[in-house]
Structure formats: structure tokens, C-alpha cells
Amino acid sequence: MTVNGKAVTADVEDRTLLVQLLREQLGLTGTHVGCDTSQCGACVVHVNGASVKSCSVLAAQCNNAKVLTIEGLADSQALHPMQQAFKDNHGLQCGFCTPGMIMSAIDLVQNNPDPTDAEIRDWLEGNICRCTGYQNIVSSIQAGARMMQSR
Amino acid sequence: MAQVSPHTRFGLGAALTRTEDFRLLTGQGRYTDDNAPDNALHGFVLRSPYAHARFKITDLTAAKDAPGVRAVLCADDLDSMNDLTCSTLMKQPDGSMPAPRDIPILCRDSVHHVGDAIAFVVAESIYQARDASELIELDFEPLAAVADTAQALDDGVAPVFEGATSNLAYTHFEGDKAATDAAFAQAAKVAEIKLVNNRLICNYMEPRACVVQWQPDDDAFTVHLASQGVHGLRDTLAKVTNIAADKIRVITEDVGGGFGTKVFCYREYPLCMAAARLLGRTVRWTSDRSEHFLQDAHGRDNVTTARMAMDKDGKFLAIEVDLIAAMGAYLHAFGPFIPYLGVSMTTGAYDIPTMAVTTRGVFTNTTPVDAYRGAGRPEAAYVIERLVDQCALQHGCSVDEIRRRNFIQPEQFPYTTPAGRTYDVGEFEQHMSLCMERADWSGFSQRLSAAKRTGCLRGIGMSTYIEACAFSGSEPAFMQLQADGSCVLKIGTQSNGQGHETAYAQIAAAELGMDYEDVHVQQGDTATLPTGGGTGGSRSLPLGGASSLRAGRTLANNIRTIAGRELQTDPDNIVLEEGSAKVRGGNEFLSLAEIAALGTPAELNTQGEFQQAEATYPNGTHICEVDIELATGVTRVVSYTIVDDFGVTVNPMLLQGQIHGGVVQGIGQCLMEHVVYNDDAQLLSATLMDYALPRADDIPHFHFETRNVPSITNELGIKGAGEAGTIGSCPAVMNAVSDALLREFGHGQIDMPVTPLSMWQKLNSLRDRADV
């Protein structure tokens, strides 16, 4: 498989989850584990371009897949427009849910370049935040969508 | 406080973006579990499946022999360890202190709640540790259990502790019983309300974790853990493990939310220390979400009856409260203090001459209860603000009118409450009126009619809360000018996501005329800072912010002295701007890097400490509108307006974010969050599939603004804001729900959480009542 554009090979137990491979074997700790039941969305990454909860997919299922994590978004010091929008609009506080929120948001905008407030809130059904009250996350995603379009 | 605009004097008030964001946005945050080295062993806690049982471990052989297992620890292996104790036992009316109920690191022969810890398995992988825990052979003898707070004191209920005669943990009284009785005897009217403040589980997004390394050479430990302050944790660990505090280095880096619940020392930290020393290997433990539900302290869980005596004009004469507060199966660290903290705010924003409040702490076979997101103050605001609405109903006036008649008036400050708190300033009627205007309170009837046409009941409610923050104390700040001209600011609070790195830097940098991004805030390491009070009670900015200002100001004066010495001019002639020290009106200047090379260590290292004598008292008005769909029982918050008084705003962007988050916690408690135990005290809501957290589509867009009246207690005028959103929100939402029901049915009492099911049942019972 490739992770953030780099070819990666690893031996894993059958039961190893993608998130465990990323965190424990590849050292990519930006993807977080927040629950055991696929509710919180802190572990969202992209597999072949679509957002996926990496706690709910086996590493072995991603054989030959292209995986993108939060670490692969920024171009050294230049944040991805969605990351920049979260910073500009205070879309994060503790930051634990943030990688999942951003990966999820980018998938939304790839399919819906100009989402409404209601569409964003509906899309975030699988991402829980306990700090922000969501309003600034919604604002961030709207701003990020505009920035992604103008890029 | 000097009568100068805080903007010009302190450089506060700018909506600066956060310096911590870059690493958090790019996956470079350092949360505790991210620190585990590849070769660390994994610990797993075997927990009780029973709420109450005697047990015996009959055979450990299979577990110890299982693949990858390096150790299995039981209570017998921890003889040198002390229990986790409660530090806040409350004095009883007869002057006695209640008996403690301490938490064993591992249970010896009986368990008292589901999730109570029995054994600790350490293995090469987490799977191996989990698998091996299932090979531990145990005999359980289940005993009767109780989970319901209201029933815990009933006759015939099984005692949580075998041999105890009752589940009463303690009784505590605050107020003046005789004066209160006299006031009730002459009251024209009495309003009464019975409320359940349901139990919550914190659910920070980052589960707790720790990583423990042991250094054999000096028998010392490095403990990475997720906390709200490393120094308190270090001291508790020293007490529990009988290891000297200077042999324990505690480090907390990024924290994924704490909300009070990460203040405490939990069992897994000393267990990892014991295993690390036994095995000479790094040992890590990470909570999963269900363990969070079972082990981490819960919040709220009060059953309250409150009564208000009024005269013929609706003026409050006295308040009487009977409070049953769940403690869980043990007395947790601050357990009994939490309801007390609420009791100390019983009278809220109102001029009530006297009070009588009886608290009974009760044991149940449940996870212990402690500080959570407001810690007692949400409970207190919920009682007084719901009761005041009931007073309006009883007296026959509007909810804003009853408040106007009873608010403490601006000329009454400083105002000492019957609980002994002294409020410094406040303009309660003014923020209420402003909030009503912003929420278009007067236009409600049109929105009500519109909602009816869509098959909904609509209600509007307010809360005019006040809370206590920061408390008396201090939090020193230490600044150092670095060789490259940047600054380091060390402080013993702990950001859990609030943005300390930005807020403190913003305050200090303004004094130094430098970019706030060049002030690097450091927290969370006992090796680099001798003491610290941690984060809790919204104390970081009122106390730490004022200390940062002082440290920055002293450093600025020293820089002017150094520059004056070098440039042969009076220090008063030196201005600090754009990261350099310039001669006023001249061309000569020194960069801060040059200053760093010229200054003495004493000049380049400064300390600031602001000591606060009394708490600060943030207050404000929340107004909420709800729709209740008659066809489904679904209740939705459709509009939410907030006008708060936080004294002085440091960074409006950070402030707004904290308020939004807090309000969503309140909406969550009102509409969905609920801990459910069955009759056997089995925890039914033990995952995020069973315990509902608010999602983005449950929440409306908020209107938030401040109407600040600077505190005269705090040097910066700051009152604190971390918990205010949570404190103001529950009564506003529930007063709105109650209002909707009252308008339709003339009867409005319903407890939190108002789920579709509970509302559906309520609507049916109200319709039945209407039919009769």
C-alpha cells in the first residue's frame, strides 16, 4: 500500500486494524482512537480517496490501497486549505477530533464543493467533538470549501 | 483596577489565531498515547462484571503462562501501596467528620461497582494482555446492589458496604435553619420544585492513558499521563506509591479534553509504575471508551427538593434545599466537595436573605462521582433558575419580572450571600434585558403561532446564572528571555485545549512589544517547573493570566534597564516594539537577542505572581427556544442567545469557542445524555452506541456576545469563562421545555434528559390528564 504517497510494506496480524498499523507500526500518531464502536470519527483517513473510519477496517483489507492521513495533507509549512480554514475560524480546541474532522470535511467538499450549513452538520453525523459546540467547525468547513475551490 | 481601557493598557482583546494549532492540525500533536516507545509493554485492567460481589482469585497459572504475558498483578502484589483517598470530607452537623471510603488500587476480596479493578495483566501486546485476562480464574459471590440515588437511603436497601447500616456517606448543612423557618412561617407564597440532575459521563474525546518508564540507577520514574496539572498528580502518586515525589517526573503534553475529570489520579497510573519497576520495562496503558464509562469519575447525579418563600410582592424571603448527592461506590478525591461547591452558590444572582441547605451524600454501587464541567455549579444554577421560574408561575408574573424584583442590585455590591460568598460586581438586569432584546423575546408569540402550524409546541426559557471561578489562590508565571530574542513562559496550569499557549503569550507579549508567537508557553513537566495548581474551576486565565502579565512587565522593565545601560540613556527613554528596544524618538535600538547577550541571569529571568483573595463571579443570560414535535415527541433547540459578563475578554475567538462547547454540553444533558444503570446496578449505557452525545445536527447556530463589567477582585478584571456555557445552559433549555408544556397543558414539569421517548410519554400523560 501507499501511505501519504510513500510505498509501505508491513507484516500484520489478521486482526490488526488500519488505525493500529498507522499508529503503532508506521508511527503516524496524528490519526486518533477515540472510541471502540465506530462512533467518534477521530480515526477518519482517506482510503483510495474516500473517507473511512480506520478503526473499522482491517489493515489487510488495505493491501495495495492508497491511504492518506492528516500527516500527508500539508505541504511542509503550507497548510492544506481545510487545515488553514480550521485555524482561521478556531475550528479546533483540544485537537483530538480534528484530524478526523478535517479528513471527513475534505471528502465532503470533494463531492459537494459548496455545502450548506445543514449539509455540513448532516455530513458530520459520524464525527463527535466535545469542545467546540460545532459552530466553528461548520464555519471552518464552509471557509475551507471556498479556499479549496479557489485553489 | 485602574480605570483604563483594558485594550490599550494590556493589549488584550484581539482575536488572535492560536499558536498551538499548526501541530494539532498536521497530526503532530503529542497526546499521551503518542509517546509510547515501540518496545513498551501493554497493561490491561481486569474489571468486575458485577456491581457488588465477594470474590476470590483461584488460579493465575493459565494467565501467567499465556503467550506474551510478563506479569499479572493482584492486590497481594501491591502491599506497599496506599489507597486513593478523598481529600474533601465534609463536616457533619454534629461536628463529626464522616468515615472515609477509600479506593483500593486493586480490590482485595470485594468489588463495589461494575468496572472495579481486580487484576492488572502486562503483556507484549494489548491483545495478549486482554486474552490473558480472560484466563484468570475467579469465584464471584454476587451480592445485592443499588444504583438509584433517590432510593439509596430507603429502608431495606442493600448496603453498598457489607456490614454498614445505611448508604448515607455524610450529611452536611449550610445556612441558618431558624431564620429560614421563620421566613417560611411568614411567607405569603411558597414555590416548590423537585428535580433530578441526571448522571453524566465526561466523554472527553481523548481517552486517558499513561506511559511509565523506570530508571533503575536511581529508582526513579518518568510518567507520561493525560492530566489537568502534573504537580497534583505527582504528589498523589508519591502518596499512593510511597515513593518520594522527587523520584517521580510527571509529564503531560497535549490533552484531548479534561473537563475536570482528568484532574484525578486513577488506578492505572500506580499500576503501571509497579509493573515498570517489577519488569524493568516501559509500561503503557490506554483506556478504551468503555473503560472510560466504567472507571473515570462520573458527574452530577443529584436529587433535589427546593422551596422558596416569597412575600406578597413576589420578593424572595428564604430558600430551603434538600439535596441527595450520589457519591458512587467510594468517596472520590473531591467527591463530597462538588455538591458543597454548588451549595455555596445556592442563592444565585438574587437577593435572598437566608437559606437552609441540607446535603446528604449517598453511596450506590456505581462508579464514583466527582468534578465534571462546572462541578457543582451547573447543579446549583439548575436548581435556582428552575425554582425562580416556578416562583413566577406561583406569583403570577413573568419570568423576567420575578427576576427583576429579586436581582441583587448594582448598588448592593460588594454583596455577601447567605452562603458567605462575596460578589464584587454585577449588572444582572442589564444583561438580561440585552439578551431578551437580542433573542426578540417580545416577538415570541408570532414564532409560537408559526410553530403550531407545523405541528410543534414552542417554548422560550431563560437562565440568569452566576457562578464562581478561580477561587482564592495564585499561579506563578516564570519568564525567560532566550538567546535568540524569543521568550519562554513557564506556568503550572495545563491546557486541555483551551488555548493557553496563545492566551498567556498574548498577555505577556503585549508588555514586551513582541509578537505573541515568539512567546513560547511551557506547561506540564514537573522537572522544569517546581509547582503548579493545574487547570480547573476556570482558574487559568484569572490567576495565570494576571501572573503572566506581571512576569512580562517585570521582564520588560529589566529589558529597558539593560538597554538604557548599554545605550547610555534613561530606561524610561526605551520603548519596546517590534521585538526590539528602541530609544524614544531616536534611531538607536537593540534587538532582544542583543539584550539577551547583555543582561544578567537575574535580569533575564523573571517571575510574576498574582494572589487572589476571593473567587470571581462570571454571570450572564442564556435564552433558549425549543420546538416539541407533537407527532414524535422530538424536542429540538431551535434558537439560542447568550449575553455573558466575563469581566474582561482576553481573546474573543477563544472565548466564543469555549462558550459554544459548554452550551452544547448543557443541551446534551437536557436532550440526550444519560447514564443508565439497571436494577442490578449494571451499567447499560457503557459505549457511545448507548450513551448519546450531541452531534453537529443536534445543535442550532448560536448568538453570543459579552456585556462585560470588569471584576475588581482580579488584577486584569477577568472573571473566568471555561465552565460558564455549561452552567447557564441546562436551566435555559429546560425552562423553555417547561414553558412549551405549560402553555399547552398548564403543567410543565419534566426531568432531564428530554428524549423523544420521555417526551412522548409525557405528552400522552398530559393529554390523558386534559381529557379527564
Side-chain angles (χ1 to χ4, degrees):
Chain A
M1 64 199 266
T2 66
V3 177
N4 299 333
K6 285 186 206 134
V8 168
T9 51
D11 288 328
V12 296
E13 274 190 77
D14 294 350
R15 59 184 171 181
T16 302
L17 301 168
L18 176 58
V19 67
Q20 291 172 316
L21 171 68
L22 294 171
R23 287 184 58 81
E24 304 290 337
Q25 282 177 262
L26 304 180
L28 295 169
T29 55
T31 301
H32 297 144
V33 181
C35 72
D36 335 316
T37 51
S38 188
Q39 308 290 301
C40 80
C43 66
V44 172
V45 299
H46 290 185
V47 176
N48 297 328
S51 58
V52 163
K53 287 183 173 172
S54 62
C55 73
S56 302
V57 55
L58 295 168
Q61 285 175 276
C62 298
N63 200 19
N64 295 323
K66 282 184 183 158
V67 176
L68 179 67
T69 72
I70 191 74
E71 288 93 343
L73 278 186
D75 184 9
S76 80
Q77 288 301 297
L79 294 174
H80 182 280
M82 191 59 76
Q83 291 171 315
Q84 186 64 45
F86 269 69
K87 177 170 173 150
D88 294 345
N89 293 278
H90 192 35
L92 68 156
Q93 289 181 34
C94 82
F96 197 79
C97 76
T98 308
M101 286 283 179
I102 288 175
M103 299 311 286
S104 191
I106 291 170
D107 191 18
L108 168 66
V109 174
Q110 281 168 353
N111 292 295
N112 179 356
D114 188 19
T116 64
D117 183 290
E119 285 169 341
I120 293 170
R121 288 179 186 270
D122 186 55
W123 176 261
L124 293 180
E125 195 268 339
N127 292 82
I128 299 175
C129 169
R130 202 60 164 159
C131 298
T132 66
Y134 300 105
Q135 184 160 317
N136 288 348
I137 291 177
V138 174
S139 307
S140 298
I141 294 173
Q142 280 176 327
R146 286 192 295 273
M147 287 161 71
M148 279 171 70
Q149 274 188 294
S150 64
R151 188 163 70 155
Chain B
M1 190 181 140
Q3 296 301 305
V4 191
S5 158
H7 269 275
T8 55
R9 190 176 174 207
F10 300 126
L12 302 183
L16 302 175
T17 59
R18 304 199 311 174
T19 52
E20 45 272 80
D21 282 357
F22 185 84
R23 71 169 184 277
L24 300 179
L25 285 164
T26 52
Q28 298 169 61
R30 297 297 292 171
Y31 302 91
T32 296
D33 188 61
D34 301 342
N35 287 292
D38 288 344
N39 62 349
L41 295 169
H42 293 253
F44 179 77
V45 179
L46 177 68
R47 300 180 187 278
S48 172
Y50 293 102
H52 193 192
R54 294 187 205 121
F55 74 91
K56 243 185 231 145
I57 297 174
T58 52
D59 196 354
L60 288 174
T61 317
K64 285 185 169 172
D65 291 347
V69 170
R70 296 292 169 259
V72 180
L73 300 180
C74 304
D76 288 346
D77 302 308
L78 305 176
D79 280 346
S80 63
M81 280 203 193
N82 299 311
D83 293 349
L84 292 163
T85 59
C86 169
S87 58
T88 57
L89 298 176
M90 303 303 299
K91 192 184 275 188
Q92 308 199 84
D94 65 3
S96 68
M97 295 304 284
R101 285 291 185 185
D102 298 334
I103 304 172
I105 302 302
L106 290 174
C107 296
R108 194 161 288 278
D109 51 17
S110 59
V111 288
H112 297 97
H113 67 87
V114 172
D116 226 354
I118 292 172
F120 191 57
V121 182
V122 184
E124 296 290 341
S125 82
I126 185 61
Y127 288 136
Q128 289 171 331
R130 271 177 192 269
D131 290 348
S133 75
E134 292 176 13
L135 301 174
I136 295 174
E137 289 187 20
L138 287 147
D139 274 347
F140 284 104
E141 185 188 339
L143 300 165
V146 58
D148 189 273
T149 306
Q151 292 172 2
L153 297 175
D154 288 355
D155 289 341
V157 167
V160 170
F161 292 94
E162 278 191 273
T165 52
S166 118
N167 287 318
L168 183 66
Y170 68 93
T171 304
H172 182 76
F173 180 81
E174 286 288 325
D176 184 333
K177 178 84 174 108
T180 302
D181 285 348
F184 272 88
Q186 56 165 291
K189 281 181 182 136
V190 172
E192 178 174 313
I193 193 160
K194 291 178 192 292
L195 301 167
V196 174
N197 199 307
N198 54 318
R199 183 182 283 232
L200 302 180
I201 292 176
C202 174
N203 279 302
Y204 22 63
M205 295 319 298
E206 182 209 15
R208 281 190 306 111
C210 69
V211 180
V212 178
Q213 289 148 313
W214 176 63
Q215 293 98 44
D217 294 348
D218 54 353
D219 190 17
F221 294 83
T222 302
V223 183
H224 284 261
L225 47 73
S227 81
Q228 294 184 220
V230 289
H231 299 91
L233 252 301
R234 174 199 59 192
D235 294 347
T236 306
L237 283 173
K239 213 170 122 188
V240 169
T241 58
N242 286 313
I243 292 165
D246 63 4
K247 296 284 188 194
I248 305 172
R249 178 184 181 186
V250 178
I251 299 173
T252 297
E253 295 181 73
D254 288 312
V255 180
F259 309 116
T261 313
K262 273 185 188 153
V263 164
F264 308 109
C265 182
Y266 292 92
R267 295 160 146 155
E268 299 83 9
Y269 312 149
L271 284 171
C272 283
M273 288 173 69
R277 179 149 69 175
L278 177 73
L279 299 168
R281 299 264 306 268
T282 298
V283 179
R284 65 190 284 198
W285 170 85
T286 305
S287 173
D288 64 29
R289 184 56 57 180
S290 286
E291 283 184 290
H292 169 65
F293 280 89
L294 295 170
Q295 177 67 78
D296 296 8
H298 291 184
R300 321 281 189 254
D301 201 345
N302 290 177
V303 177
T304 305
T305 303
R307 302 167 73 224
M308 187 83 82
M310 293 179 280
D311 72 10
K312 61 180 177 31
D313 300 319
K315 177 81 188 67
F316 302 157
L317 302 174
I319 182 171
E320 183 177 54
V321 180
D322 177 67
L323 165 62
I324 305 175
M327 293 290 113
Y330 302 101
L331 291 179
H332 207 258
F334 299 165
F337 178 73
I338 304 307
Y340 168 74
L341 185 51
V343 167
S344 76
M345 294 302 293
T346 297
T347 53
Y350 310 99
D351 181 21
I352 308 175
T354 188
M355 70 175 213
V357 185
T358 303
T359 305
R360 285 175 291 167
V362 299
F363 291 119
T364 51
N365 293 102
T366 60
T367 300
V369 177
D370 208 319
Y372 173 58
R373 214 164 184 172
R377 289 154 289 164
E379 295 91 313
Y382 189 62
V383 171
I384 185 72
E385 290 300 310
R386 296 295 315 274
L387 180 60
V388 165
D389 266 32
Q390 185 66 26
C391 289
L393 189 66
Q394 202 86 13
H395 183 65
C397 69
S398 65
V399 295
D400 52 309
E401 181 55 30
I402 197 82
R403 285 173 167 83
R404 281 196 183 90
R405 283 187 204 180
N406 287 285
F407 276 142
I408 300 162
Q409 296 302 309
E411 64 274 12
Q412 288 177 277
F413 293 100
Y415 176 91
T416 300
T417 72
R421 291 198 168 277
T422 301
Y423 302 161
D424 56 348
V425 289
E427 296 178 3
F428 308 138
E429 185 172 341
Q430 286 86 338
H431 60 62
M432 181 181 76
S433 297
L434 181 58
C435 196
M436 290 172 74
E437 194 184 312
R438 292 289 189 261
D440 188 23
W441 185 277
S442 60
F444 176 74
S445 58
Q446 282 137 35
R447 298 190 293 277
L448 174 73
S449 309
K452 281 211 158 172
R453 288 195 291 274
T454 66
C456 289
L457 305 181
R458 181 169 281 217
I460 187 166
M462 68 162 70
S463 78
T464 49
Y465 77 94
I466 185 166
E467 58 129 338
C469 281
F471 310 110
S472 57
S474 74
E475 187 63 58
F478 303 86
M479 286 198 76
Q480 183 179 48
L481 185 63
Q482 306 287 101
D484 66 357
S486 69
C487 276
V488 166
L489 192 164
K490 293 183 187 174
I491 191 156
T493 52
Q494 180 66 51
S495 188
N496 279 201
Q498 306 95 321
H500 288 182
E501 284 169 57
T502 303
Y504 289 139
Q506 191 170 346
I507 291 169
E511 293 297 312
L512 293 157
M514 65 194 294
D515 191 329
Y516 73 106
E517 291 184 311
D518 290 330
V519 176
H520 305 293
V521 174
Q522 294 181 359
Q523 305 177 313
D525 186 348
T526 56
T528 60
L529 192 64
T531 61
T535 287
S538 305
R539 70 190 290 277
S540 297
L541 273 192
L543 302 182
S547 294
S548 297
L549 174 88
R550 289 187 173 190
R553 183 170 294 165
T554 305
L555 184 58
N557 287 336
N558 292 355
I559 291 169
R560 280 189 280 266
T561 302
I562 297 163
R565 194 165 68 214
E566 182 66 16
L567 302 173
Q568 298 184 341
T569 183
D570 191 306
D572 289 345
N573 261 340
I574 302 289
V575 287
L576 303 183
E577 55 187 32
E578 292 162 350
S580 59
K582 300 177 179 172
V583 178
R584 196 186 305 274
N587 295 325
E588 289 176 293
F589 73 93
L590 291 168
S591 71
L592 292 184
E594 289 170 308
I595 296 280
L598 293 165
T600 66
E603 287 171 326
L604 301 178
N605 290 276
T606 64
Q607 178 178 352
E609 183 165 5
F610 166 67
Q611 187 84 33
Q612 189 166 299
E614 166 71 45
T616 49
Y617 296 97
N619 56 90
T621 300
H622 290 207
I623 293 176
C624 174
E625 283 187 39
V626 297
D627 270 356
I628 301 168
E629 196 175 52
L630 287 164
T632 60
V634 169
T635 303
R636 291 193 66 85
V637 174
V638 292
S639 147
Y640 207 100
T641 310
I642 310 151
V643 177
D644 278 325
D645 172 5
F646 293 132
V648 164
T649 301
V650 175
N651 181 324
M653 197 165 71
L654 305 192
L655 177 68
Q656 182 206 46
Q658 290 215 355
I659 299 313
H660 289 172
V663 171
V664 169
Q665 166 60 75
I667 293 174
Q669 179 172 14
C670 291
L671 300 187
M672 61 193 87
E673 291 189 39
H674 195 40
V675 175
V676 182
Y677 284 95
N678 71 6
D679 290 344
D680 297 327
Q682 189 63 238
L683 182 62
L684 302 184
S685 55
T687 74
L688 289 180
M689 296 177 80
D690 315 298
Y691 184 96
L693 293 180
R695 318 266 171 149
D697 62 352
D698 296 314
I699 303 301
H701 196 85
F702 301 110
H703 174 83
F704 166 71
E705 65 183 274
T706 50
R707 187 188 178 283
N708 283 337
V709 181
S711 164
I712 55 172
T713 308
N714 181 266
E715 175 156 293
L716 291 166
I718 297 172
K719 295 181 178 174
E723 297 148 296
T726 304
I727 292 166
S729 50
C730 286
V733 176
M734 291 305 291
N735 281 341
V737 171
S738 176
D739 177 68
L741 295 177
L742 271 168
R743 285 172 192 272
E744 184 71 12
F745 302 105
H747 182 83
Q749 175 50 28
I750 185 170
D751 274 320
M752 301 183 289
V754 183
T755 62
L757 176 64
S758 74
M759 180 53 81
W760 176 253
Q761 290 167 336
K762 185 77 188 174
L763 290 171
N764 285 338
S765 75
L766 290 169
R767 285 187 191 112
D768 290 348
R769 187 188 295 220
D771 289 344
V772 170

